Structures are given as C-alpha cells and as structure tokens.
mmCIF file of all heavy atoms in Angstrom:
data_model
loop_
_atom_site.group_PDB
_atom_site.id
_atom_site.type_symbol
_atom_site.label_atom_id
_atom_site.label_comp_id
_atom_site.label_asym_id
_atom_site.label_seq_id
_atom_site.Cartn_x
_atom_site.Cartn_y
_atom_site.Cartn_z
ATOM 1 N N TRP A 9 0.832 -1.203 0.000
ATOM 2 C CA TRP A 9 0.000 0.000 0.000
ATOM 3 C C TRP A 9 0.867 1.254 0.000
ATOM 4 O O TRP A 9 0.543 2.234 -0.661
ATOM 5 C CB TRP A 9 -0.964 0.003 1.187
ATOM 6 C CG TRP A 9 -2.105 -0.916 0.959
ATOM 7 C CD1 TRP A 9 -2.290 -2.159 1.512
ATOM 8 C CD2 TRP A 9 -3.211 -0.705 0.082
ATOM 9 N NE1 TRP A 9 -3.444 -2.717 1.039
ATOM 10 C CE2 TRP A 9 -4.036 -1.850 0.163
ATOM 11 C CE3 TRP A 9 -3.596 0.335 -0.755
ATOM 12 C CZ2 TRP A 9 -5.215 -1.968 -0.568
ATOM 13 C CZ3 TRP A 9 -4.762 0.221 -1.483
ATOM 14 C CH2 TRP A 9 -5.564 -0.920 -1.388
ATOM 15 N N ALA A 10 1.966 1.225 0.740
ATOM 16 C CA ALA A 10 2.867 2.377 0.759
ATOM 17 C C ALA A 10 3.378 2.666 -0.646
ATOM 18 O O ALA A 10 3.400 3.825 -1.079
ATOM 19 C CB ALA A 10 4.032 2.114 1.713
ATOM 20 N N TRP A 11 3.778 1.634 -1.371
ATOM 21 C CA TRP A 11 4.254 1.833 -2.736
ATOM 22 C C TRP A 11 3.135 2.308 -3.661
ATOM 23 O O TRP A 11 3.380 3.087 -4.595
ATOM 24 C CB TRP A 11 4.917 0.568 -3.278
ATOM 25 C CG TRP A 11 6.307 0.429 -2.758
ATOM 26 C CD1 TRP A 11 6.763 -0.477 -1.850
ATOM 27 C CD2 TRP A 11 7.421 1.255 -3.090
ATOM 28 N NE1 TRP A 11 8.090 -0.265 -1.597
ATOM 29 C CE2 TRP A 11 8.530 0.787 -2.345
ATOM 30 C CE3 TRP A 11 7.600 2.350 -3.936
ATOM 31 C CZ2 TRP A 11 9.786 1.380 -2.431
ATOM 32 C CZ3 TRP A 11 8.850 2.935 -4.025
ATOM 33 C CH2 TRP A 11 9.932 2.453 -3.278
ATOM 34 N N LEU A 12 1.902 1.883 -3.408
ATOM 35 C CA LEU A 12 0.775 2.383 -4.198
ATOM 36 C C LEU A 12 0.548 3.874 -3.947
ATOM 37 O O LEU A 12 0.249 4.626 -4.880
ATOM 38 C CB LEU A 12 -0.494 1.582 -3.888
ATOM 39 C CG LEU A 12 -0.505 0.150 -4.417
ATOM 40 C CD1 LEU A 12 -1.716 -0.606 -3.875
ATOM 41 C CD2 LEU A 12 -0.489 0.128 -5.941
ATOM 42 N N TRP A 13 0.692 4.317 -2.696
ATOM 43 C CA TRP A 13 0.593 5.745 -2.375
ATOM 44 C C TRP A 13 1.713 6.524 -3.079
ATOM 45 O O TRP A 13 1.482 7.584 -3.650
ATOM 46 C CB TRP A 13 0.660 5.983 -0.868
ATOM 47 C CG TRP A 13 -0.644 5.761 -0.178
ATOM 48 C CD1 TRP A 13 -1.088 4.606 0.397
ATOM 49 C CD2 TRP A 13 -1.680 6.732 0.016
ATOM 50 N NE1 TRP A 13 -2.342 4.806 0.927
ATOM 51 C CE2 TRP A 13 -2.725 6.090 0.717
ATOM 52 C CE3 TRP A 13 -1.830 8.065 -0.327
ATOM 53 C CZ2 TRP A 13 -3.899 6.752 1.078
ATOM 54 C CZ3 TRP A 13 -2.996 8.725 0.035
ATOM 55 C CH2 TRP A 13 -4.021 8.068 0.726
ATOM 56 N N ILE A 14 2.918 5.995 -3.023
ATOM 57 C CA ILE A 14 4.052 6.647 -3.682
ATOM 58 C C ILE A 14 3.810 6.716 -5.192
ATOM 59 O O ILE A 14 4.057 7.748 -5.825
ATOM 60 C CB ILE A 14 5.373 5.907 -3.357
ATOM 61 C CG1 ILE A 14 5.716 6.078 -1.866
ATOM 62 C CG2 ILE A 14 6.511 6.385 -4.249
ATOM 63 C CD1 ILE A 14 6.820 5.151 -1.372
ATOM 64 N N THR A 15 3.312 5.633 -5.760
ATOM 65 C CA THR A 15 3.031 5.595 -7.197
ATOM 66 C C THR A 15 1.953 6.607 -7.574
ATOM 67 O O THR A 15 2.101 7.341 -8.565
ATOM 68 C CB THR A 15 2.609 4.175 -7.629
ATOM 69 O OG1 THR A 15 3.674 3.275 -7.306
ATOM 70 C CG2 THR A 15 2.300 4.111 -9.106
ATOM 71 N N ALA A 16 0.873 6.656 -6.809
ATOM 72 C CA ALA A 16 -0.197 7.624 -7.079
ATOM 73 C C ALA A 16 0.348 9.049 -7.011
ATOM 74 O O ALA A 16 0.027 9.891 -7.864
ATOM 75 C CB ALA A 16 -1.345 7.441 -6.085
ATOM 76 N N GLY A 17 1.176 9.317 -6.014
ATOM 77 C CA GLY A 17 1.779 10.645 -5.896
ATOM 78 C C GLY A 17 2.679 10.973 -7.077
ATOM 79 O O GLY A 17 2.648 12.084 -7.608
ATOM 80 N N THR A 18 3.455 10.003 -7.491
ATOM 81 C CA THR A 18 4.362 10.202 -8.621
ATOM 82 C C THR A 18 3.584 10.435 -9.917
ATOM 83 O O THR A 18 3.960 11.293 -10.729
ATOM 84 C CB THR A 18 5.304 8.988 -8.761
ATOM 85 O OG1 THR A 18 6.000 8.805 -7.517
ATOM 86 C CG2 THR A 18 6.297 9.174 -9.881
ATOM 87 N N ILE A 19 2.501 9.706 -10.099
ATOM 88 C CA ILE A 19 1.653 9.910 -11.287
ATOM 89 C C ILE A 19 1.100 11.332 -11.287
ATOM 90 O O ILE A 19 1.112 12.024 -12.313
ATOM 91 C CB ILE A 19 0.511 8.871 -11.326
ATOM 92 C CG1 ILE A 19 1.071 7.487 -11.646
ATOM 93 C CG2 ILE A 19 -0.585 9.276 -12.316
ATOM 94 C CD1 ILE A 19 0.078 6.354 -11.465
ATOM 95 N N ALA A 20 0.625 11.788 -10.127
ATOM 96 C CA ALA A 20 0.074 13.143 -10.037
ATOM 97 C C ALA A 20 1.146 14.198 -10.306
ATOM 98 O O ALA A 20 0.892 15.195 -10.992
ATOM 99 C CB ALA A 20 -0.562 13.370 -8.668
ATOM 100 N N ILE A 21 2.338 13.979 -9.783
ATOM 101 C CA ILE A 21 3.436 14.928 -10.013
ATOM 102 C C ILE A 21 3.772 14.989 -11.502
ATOM 103 O O ILE A 21 3.959 16.070 -12.063
ATOM 104 C CB ILE A 21 4.668 14.555 -9.159
ATOM 105 C CG1 ILE A 21 4.373 14.802 -7.676
ATOM 106 C CG2 ILE A 21 5.903 15.330 -9.614
ATOM 107 C CD1 ILE A 21 5.395 14.196 -6.718
ATOM 108 N N ALA A 22 3.819 13.842 -12.156
ATOM 109 C CA ALA A 22 4.098 13.830 -13.599
ATOM 110 C C ALA A 22 2.973 14.513 -14.371
ATOM 111 O O ALA A 22 3.224 15.276 -15.309
ATOM 112 C CB ALA A 22 4.279 12.390 -14.079
ATOM 113 N N ALA A 23 1.728 14.277 -13.968
ATOM 114 C CA ALA A 23 0.579 14.870 -14.660
ATOM 115 C C ALA A 23 0.519 16.381 -14.462
ATOM 116 O O ALA A 23 -0.061 17.090 -15.287
ATOM 117 C CB ALA A 23 -0.719 14.228 -14.159
ATOM 118 N N ALA A 24 1.128 16.878 -13.392
ATOM 119 C CA ALA A 24 1.119 18.320 -13.121
ATOM 120 C C ALA A 24 1.744 19.110 -14.268
ATOM 121 O O ALA A 24 1.389 20.269 -14.487
ATOM 122 C CB ALA A 24 1.865 18.618 -11.822
ATOM 123 N N TRP A 25 2.628 18.503 -15.008
ATOM 124 C CA TRP A 25 3.347 19.185 -16.084
ATOM 125 C C TRP A 25 2.650 19.026 -17.429
ATOM 126 O O TRP A 25 3.110 19.579 -18.431
ATOM 127 C CB TRP A 25 4.784 18.670 -16.152
ATOM 128 C CG TRP A 25 5.460 18.850 -14.843
ATOM 129 C CD1 TRP A 25 5.633 17.910 -13.869
ATOM 130 C CD2 TRP A 25 6.002 20.058 -14.318
ATOM 131 N NE1 TRP A 25 6.244 18.471 -12.781
ATOM 132 C CE2 TRP A 25 6.492 19.791 -13.023
ATOM 133 C CE3 TRP A 25 6.125 21.357 -14.817
ATOM 134 C CZ2 TRP A 25 7.086 20.751 -12.223
ATOM 135 C CZ3 TRP A 25 6.724 22.322 -14.021
ATOM 136 C CH2 TRP A 25 7.199 22.016 -12.741
ATOM 137 N N MET A 26 1.539 18.297 -17.445
ATOM 138 C CA MET A 26 0.788 18.102 -18.683
ATOM 139 C C MET A 26 -0.152 19.286 -18.912
ATOM 140 O O MET A 26 -0.552 19.956 -17.970
ATOM 141 C CB MET A 26 -0.041 16.812 -18.596
ATOM 142 C CG MET A 26 0.781 15.550 -18.398
ATOM 143 S SD MET A 26 1.868 15.188 -19.773
ATOM 144 C CE MET A 26 0.704 14.850 -21.055
ATOM 145 N N PRO A 27 -0.530 19.526 -20.165
ATOM 146 C CA PRO A 27 -1.504 20.589 -20.438
ATOM 147 C C PRO A 27 -2.847 20.266 -19.773
ATOM 148 O O PRO A 27 -3.169 19.097 -19.564
ATOM 149 C CB PRO A 27 -1.642 20.581 -21.963
ATOM 150 C CG PRO A 27 -0.461 19.835 -22.468
ATOM 151 C CD PRO A 27 -0.041 18.895 -21.387
ATOM 152 N N PRO A 28 -3.620 21.290 -19.461
ATOM 153 C CA PRO A 28 -4.942 21.058 -18.870
ATOM 154 C C PRO A 28 -5.768 20.103 -19.728
ATOM 155 O O PRO A 28 -5.680 20.107 -20.949
ATOM 156 C CB PRO A 28 -5.579 22.449 -18.851
ATOM 157 C CG PRO A 28 -4.422 23.394 -18.856
ATOM 158 C CD PRO A 28 -3.345 22.712 -19.633
ATOM 159 N N ARG A 29 -6.549 19.304 -19.065
ATOM 160 C CA ARG A 29 -7.421 18.282 -19.657
ATOM 161 C C ARG A 29 -6.670 17.066 -20.161
ATOM 162 O O ARG A 29 -7.283 16.075 -20.493
ATOM 163 C CB ARG A 29 -8.321 18.848 -20.769
ATOM 164 C CG ARG A 29 -9.202 19.967 -20.302
ATOM 165 C CD ARG A 29 -10.170 19.474 -19.261
ATOM 166 N NE ARG A 29 -10.982 20.569 -18.780
ATOM 167 C CZ ARG A 29 -11.459 20.630 -17.565
ATOM 168 N NH1 ARG A 29 -11.248 19.678 -16.715
ATOM 169 N NH2 ARG A 29 -12.179 21.661 -17.196
ATOM 170 N N ARG A 30 -5.356 17.135 -20.212
ATOM 171 C CA ARG A 30 -4.564 15.938 -20.496
ATOM 172 C C ARG A 30 -3.932 15.449 -19.197
ATOM 173 O O ARG A 30 -3.186 14.483 -19.194
ATOM 174 C CB ARG A 30 -3.495 16.238 -21.541
ATOM 175 C CG ARG A 30 -4.129 16.528 -22.903
ATOM 176 C CD ARG A 30 -3.137 17.126 -23.816
ATOM 177 N NE ARG A 30 -2.766 16.214 -24.877
ATOM 178 C CZ ARG A 30 -1.669 16.358 -25.599
ATOM 179 N NH1 ARG A 30 -0.832 17.326 -25.349
ATOM 180 N NH2 ARG A 30 -1.414 15.525 -26.569
ATOM 181 N N ASP A 31 -4.257 16.130 -18.118
ATOM 182 C CA ASP A 31 -3.716 15.806 -16.804
ATOM 183 C C ASP A 31 -4.690 14.993 -15.949
ATOM 184 O O ASP A 31 -4.445 14.735 -14.786
ATOM 185 C CB ASP A 31 -3.360 17.099 -16.059
ATOM 186 C CG ASP A 31 -4.543 18.058 -15.928
ATOM 187 O OD1 ASP A 31 -5.667 17.711 -16.352
ATOM 188 O OD2 ASP A 31 -4.345 19.158 -15.403
ATOM 189 N N TRP A 32 -5.790 14.554 -16.554
ATOM 190 C CA TRP A 32 -6.859 13.890 -15.821
ATOM 191 C C TRP A 32 -6.386 12.661 -15.059
ATOM 192 O O TRP A 32 -6.878 12.363 -13.985
ATOM 193 C CB TRP A 32 -8.013 13.514 -16.767
ATOM 194 C CG TRP A 32 -7.607 12.549 -17.837
ATOM 195 C CD1 TRP A 32 -7.147 12.856 -19.085
ATOM 196 C CD2 TRP A 32 -7.594 11.124 -17.735
ATOM 197 N NE1 TRP A 32 -6.847 11.710 -19.777
ATOM 198 C CE2 TRP A 32 -7.115 10.632 -18.974
ATOM 199 C CE3 TRP A 32 -7.930 10.220 -16.748
ATOM 200 C CZ2 TRP A 32 -6.971 9.267 -19.221
ATOM 201 C CZ3 TRP A 32 -7.792 8.860 -16.992
ATOM 202 C CH2 TRP A 32 -7.321 8.397 -18.223
ATOM 203 N N TRP A 33 -5.430 11.943 -15.605
ATOM 204 C CA TRP A 33 -4.963 10.718 -14.962
ATOM 205 C C TRP A 33 -4.274 10.996 -13.631
ATOM 206 O O TRP A 33 -4.281 10.146 -12.738
ATOM 207 C CB TRP A 33 -4.083 9.917 -15.912
ATOM 208 C CG TRP A 33 -3.038 10.727 -16.640
ATOM 209 C CD1 TRP A 33 -3.223 11.520 -17.737
ATOM 210 C CD2 TRP A 33 -1.662 10.845 -16.307
ATOM 211 N NE1 TRP A 33 -2.038 12.110 -18.100
ATOM 212 C CE2 TRP A 33 -1.063 11.713 -17.250
ATOM 213 C CE3 TRP A 33 -0.870 10.292 -15.315
ATOM 214 C CZ2 TRP A 33 0.276 12.042 -17.212
ATOM 215 C CZ3 TRP A 33 0.475 10.618 -15.281
ATOM 216 C CH2 TRP A 33 1.023 11.488 -16.230
ATOM 217 N N GLY A 34 -3.721 12.185 -13.447
ATOM 218 C CA GLY A 34 -3.146 12.549 -12.149
ATOM 219 C C GLY A 34 -4.215 12.724 -11.091
ATOM 220 O O GLY A 34 -4.070 12.264 -9.958
ATOM 221 N N PHE A 35 -5.323 13.383 -11.470
ATOM 222 C CA PHE A 35 -6.438 13.537 -10.540
ATOM 223 C C PHE A 35 -7.039 12.179 -10.196
ATOM 224 O O PHE A 35 -7.379 11.910 -9.046
ATOM 225 C CB PHE A 35 -7.512 14.460 -11.133
ATOM 226 C CG PHE A 35 -7.068 15.897 -11.219
ATOM 227 C CD1 PHE A 35 -6.679 16.447 -12.432
ATOM 228 C CD2 PHE A 35 -7.031 16.699 -10.092
ATOM 229 C CE1 PHE A 35 -6.261 17.763 -12.517
ATOM 230 C CE2 PHE A 35 -6.616 18.023 -10.168
ATOM 231 C CZ PHE A 35 -6.233 18.556 -11.379
ATOM 232 N N LEU A 36 -7.158 11.336 -11.204
ATOM 233 C CA LEU A 36 -7.703 10.000 -10.988
ATOM 234 C C LEU A 36 -6.835 9.210 -9.999
ATOM 235 O O LEU A 36 -7.354 8.582 -9.068
ATOM 236 C CB LEU A 36 -7.817 9.260 -12.322
ATOM 237 C CG LEU A 36 -8.425 7.864 -12.259
ATOM 238 C CD1 LEU A 36 -9.873 7.930 -11.793
ATOM 239 C CD2 LEU A 36 -8.341 7.197 -13.630
ATOM 240 N N ALA A 37 -5.536 9.260 -10.183
ATOM 241 C CA ALA A 37 -4.625 8.534 -9.285
ATOM 242 C C ALA A 37 -4.762 9.021 -7.844
ATOM 243 O O ALA A 37 -4.751 8.216 -6.902
ATOM 244 C CB ALA A 37 -3.177 8.689 -9.764
ATOM 245 N N LEU A 38 -4.901 10.338 -7.671
ATOM 246 C CA LEU A 38 -5.024 10.892 -6.320
ATOM 247 C C LEU A 38 -6.284 10.403 -5.623
ATOM 248 O O LEU A 38 -6.264 10.127 -4.417
ATOM 249 C CB LEU A 38 -5.025 12.422 -6.366
ATOM 250 C CG LEU A 38 -3.718 13.105 -6.755
ATOM 251 C CD1 LEU A 38 -3.927 14.610 -6.873
ATOM 252 C CD2 LEU A 38 -2.610 12.792 -5.755
ATOM 253 N N VAL A 39 -7.366 10.291 -6.363
ATOM 254 C CA VAL A 39 -8.629 9.879 -5.747
ATOM 255 C C VAL A 39 -8.700 8.363 -5.570
ATOM 256 O O VAL A 39 -9.146 7.872 -4.531
ATOM 257 C CB VAL A 39 -9.820 10.396 -6.581
ATOM 258 C CG1 VAL A 39 -11.131 9.842 -6.061
ATOM 259 C CG2 VAL A 39 -9.855 11.917 -6.552
ATOM 260 N N VAL A 40 -8.226 7.618 -6.563
ATOM 261 C CA VAL A 40 -8.359 6.159 -6.518
ATOM 262 C C VAL A 40 -7.638 5.550 -5.312
ATOM 263 O O VAL A 40 -8.167 4.628 -4.686
ATOM 264 C CB VAL A 40 -7.869 5.529 -7.848
ATOM 265 C CG1 VAL A 40 -7.641 4.042 -7.715
ATOM 266 C CG2 VAL A 40 -8.870 5.816 -8.945
ATOM 267 N N ILE A 41 -6.492 6.045 -4.947
ATOM 268 C CA ILE A 41 -5.769 5.473 -3.806
ATOM 269 C C ILE A 41 -6.475 5.767 -2.490
ATOM 270 O O ILE A 41 -6.377 4.998 -1.533
ATOM 271 C CB ILE A 41 -4.286 5.943 -3.773
ATOM 272 C CG1 ILE A 41 -3.481 5.164 -2.716
ATOM 273 C CG2 ILE A 41 -4.183 7.426 -3.484
ATOM 274 C CD1 ILE A 41 -3.354 3.693 -2.983
ATOM 275 N N VAL A 42 -7.210 6.858 -2.426
ATOM 276 C CA VAL A 42 -7.888 7.231 -1.182
ATOM 277 C C VAL A 42 -9.140 6.377 -0.942
ATOM 278 O O VAL A 42 -9.503 6.131 0.213
ATOM 279 C CB VAL A 42 -8.255 8.729 -1.205
ATOM 280 C CG1 VAL A 42 -9.116 9.118 -0.029
ATOM 281 C CG2 VAL A 42 -6.994 9.572 -1.217
ATOM 282 N N ILE A 43 -9.781 5.901 -1.987
ATOM 283 C CA ILE A 43 -11.047 5.177 -1.847
ATOM 284 C C ILE A 43 -10.919 3.935 -0.964
ATOM 285 O O ILE A 43 -11.661 3.795 0.007
ATOM 286 C CB ILE A 43 -11.660 4.858 -3.221
ATOM 287 C CG1 ILE A 43 -12.106 6.161 -3.898
ATOM 288 C CG2 ILE A 43 -12.837 3.888 -3.100
ATOM 289 C CD1 ILE A 43 -12.521 6.002 -5.346
ATOM 290 N N PRO A 44 -9.995 3.006 -1.248
ATOM 291 C CA PRO A 44 -9.917 1.827 -0.372
ATOM 292 C C PRO A 44 -9.522 2.192 1.061
ATOM 293 O O PRO A 44 -9.988 1.565 2.022
ATOM 294 C CB PRO A 44 -8.870 0.925 -1.032
ATOM 295 C CG PRO A 44 -8.199 1.749 -2.056
ATOM 296 C CD PRO A 44 -9.074 2.913 -2.371
ATOM 297 N N TRP A 45 -8.663 3.194 1.203
ATOM 298 C CA TRP A 45 -8.221 3.647 2.531
ATOM 299 C C TRP A 45 -9.433 4.139 3.328
ATOM 300 O O TRP A 45 -9.644 3.753 4.472
ATOM 301 C CB TRP A 45 -7.206 4.767 2.339
ATOM 302 C CG TRP A 45 -6.049 4.769 3.269
ATOM 303 C CD1 TRP A 45 -5.806 5.689 4.238
ATOM 304 C CD2 TRP A 45 -4.954 3.852 3.325
ATOM 305 N NE1 TRP A 45 -4.631 5.411 4.880
ATOM 306 C CE2 TRP A 45 -4.085 4.276 4.333
ATOM 307 C CE3 TRP A 45 -4.626 2.701 2.614
ATOM 308 C CZ2 TRP A 45 -2.913 3.602 4.662
ATOM 309 C CZ3 TRP A 45 -3.464 2.039 2.937
ATOM 310 C CH2 TRP A 45 -2.626 2.482 3.941
ATOM 311 N N THR A 46 -10.236 4.981 2.692
ATOM 312 C CA THR A 46 -11.421 5.546 3.328
ATOM 313 C C THR A 46 -12.431 4.457 3.680
ATOM 314 O O THR A 46 -12.976 4.435 4.794
ATOM 315 C CB THR A 46 -12.075 6.594 2.407
ATOM 316 O OG1 THR A 46 -11.101 7.597 2.102
ATOM 317 C CG2 THR A 46 -13.280 7.247 3.051
ATOM 318 N N LEU A 47 -12.673 3.564 2.752
ATOM 319 C CA LEU A 47 -13.632 2.484 2.999
ATOM 320 C C LEU A 47 -13.158 1.545 4.106
ATOM 321 O O LEU A 47 -13.968 1.042 4.884
ATOM 322 C CB LEU A 47 -13.897 1.704 1.709
ATOM 323 C CG LEU A 47 -14.642 2.475 0.618
ATOM 324 C CD1 LEU A 47 -14.748 1.633 -0.648
ATOM 325 C CD2 LEU A 47 -16.010 2.925 1.106
ATOM 326 N N SER A 48 -11.870 1.316 4.182
ATOM 327 C CA SER A 48 -11.333 0.471 5.243
ATOM 328 C C SER A 48 -11.554 1.103 6.613
ATOM 329 O O SER A 48 -11.964 0.435 7.563
ATOM 330 C CB SER A 48 -9.843 0.208 5.018
ATOM 331 O OG SER A 48 -9.344 -0.694 5.989
ATOM 332 N N TYR A 49 -11.275 2.400 6.713
ATOM 333 C CA TYR A 49 -11.519 3.096 7.979
ATOM 334 C C TYR A 49 -13.008 3.094 8.325
ATOM 335 O O TYR A 49 -13.379 2.892 9.486
ATOM 336 C CB TYR A 49 -10.988 4.529 7.928
ATOM 337 C CG TYR A 49 -9.512 4.621 8.209
ATOM 338 C CD1 TYR A 49 -8.629 5.070 7.235
ATOM 339 C CD2 TYR A 49 -9.003 4.262 9.449
ATOM 340 C CE1 TYR A 49 -7.275 5.162 7.486
ATOM 341 C CE2 TYR A 49 -7.650 4.339 9.715
ATOM 342 C CZ TYR A 49 -6.787 4.792 8.731
ATOM 343 O OH TYR A 49 -5.439 4.866 8.994
ATOM 344 N N LEU A 50 -13.846 3.299 7.332
ATOM 345 C CA LEU A 50 -15.289 3.302 7.568
ATOM 346 C C LEU A 50 -15.751 1.934 8.082
ATOM 347 O O LEU A 50 -16.470 1.843 9.079
ATOM 348 C CB LEU A 50 -16.039 3.674 6.293
ATOM 349 C CG LEU A 50 -17.568 3.669 6.376
ATOM 350 C CD1 LEU A 50 -18.044 4.710 7.394
ATOM 351 C CD2 LEU A 50 -18.167 3.927 5.004
ATOM 352 N N ALA A 51 -15.333 0.871 7.409
ATOM 353 C CA ALA A 51 -15.740 -0.481 7.810
ATOM 354 C C ALA A 51 -15.173 -0.866 9.173
ATOM 355 O O ALA A 51 -15.808 -1.603 9.923
ATOM 356 C CB ALA A 51 -15.306 -1.491 6.753
ATOM 357 N N SER A 52 -13.993 -0.369 9.509
ATOM 358 C CA SER A 52 -13.406 -0.708 10.813
ATOM 359 C C SER A 52 -14.183 -0.058 11.952
ATOM 360 O O SER A 52 -14.180 -0.547 13.073
ATOM 361 C CB SER A 52 -11.942 -0.289 10.870
ATOM 362 O OG SER A 52 -11.826 1.119 10.907
ATOM 363 N N TRP A 53 -14.855 1.045 11.635
ATOM 364 C CA TRP A 53 -15.682 1.720 12.634
ATOM 365 C C TRP A 53 -17.087 1.111 12.654
ATOM 366 O O TRP A 53 -17.594 0.707 13.678
ATOM 367 C CB TRP A 53 -15.735 3.222 12.335
ATOM 368 C CG TRP A 53 -16.759 3.968 13.119
ATOM 369 C CD1 TRP A 53 -16.789 4.123 14.475
ATOM 370 C CD2 TRP A 53 -17.895 4.643 12.602
ATOM 371 N NE1 TRP A 53 -17.890 4.865 14.830
ATOM 372 C CE2 TRP A 53 -18.585 5.203 13.693
ATOM 373 C CE3 TRP A 53 -18.392 4.845 11.321
ATOM 374 C CZ2 TRP A 53 -19.744 5.943 13.544
ATOM 375 C CZ3 TRP A 53 -19.543 5.589 11.176
ATOM 376 C CH2 TRP A 53 -20.206 6.124 12.278
ATOM 377 N N TRP A 54 -17.694 1.070 11.452
ATOM 378 C CA TRP A 54 -19.016 0.506 11.332
ATOM 379 C C TRP A 54 -19.070 -0.276 10.035
ATOM 380 O O TRP A 54 -18.725 0.272 8.992
ATOM 381 C CB TRP A 54 -20.062 1.636 11.303
ATOM 382 C CG TRP A 54 -21.450 1.140 11.181
ATOM 383 C CD1 TRP A 54 -22.257 0.709 12.189
ATOM 384 C CD2 TRP A 54 -22.201 0.979 9.980
ATOM 385 N NE1 TRP A 54 -23.454 0.303 11.688
ATOM 386 C CE2 TRP A 54 -23.454 0.465 10.321
ATOM 387 C CE3 TRP A 54 -21.946 1.223 8.643
ATOM 388 C CZ2 TRP A 54 -24.428 0.171 9.392
ATOM 389 C CZ3 TRP A 54 -22.920 0.944 7.701
ATOM 390 C CH2 TRP A 54 -24.150 0.427 8.088
ATOM 391 N N PRO A 55 -19.359 -1.492 10.016
ATOM 392 C CA PRO A 55 -20.033 -2.321 11.002
ATOM 393 C C PRO A 55 -19.114 -3.143 11.901
ATOM 394 O O PRO A 55 -19.582 -3.726 12.867
ATOM 395 C CB PRO A 55 -20.874 -3.255 10.137
ATOM 396 C CG PRO A 55 -20.030 -3.465 8.920
ATOM 397 C CD PRO A 55 -19.319 -2.147 8.699
#
C-alpha cells in the first residue's frame, strides 16, 4: 500500500506538467488510492 501511495503521488506529479485536460490521470490517481483507505476506515468503525 505504501508503494501504491508513492506511485499515485508520482503519477500526479508527472501529470502536473501536462496541459490542462490531459492531466486527468493525475487527478484519478489521487482519488483512486484514497477510496480503499477511506472504505477500510469506515468499515473498521461501522459495522
């Protein structure tokens, strides 16, 4: 998971230098890594 976070961050950093609207994959990487993390915390609390 740590390497997945590093990879998502690296993808976003690389996408930062792309022209607008061609940088979408950086935004996607930032959100996709957070989803399982968030759901895991949610499930650990409830149910």
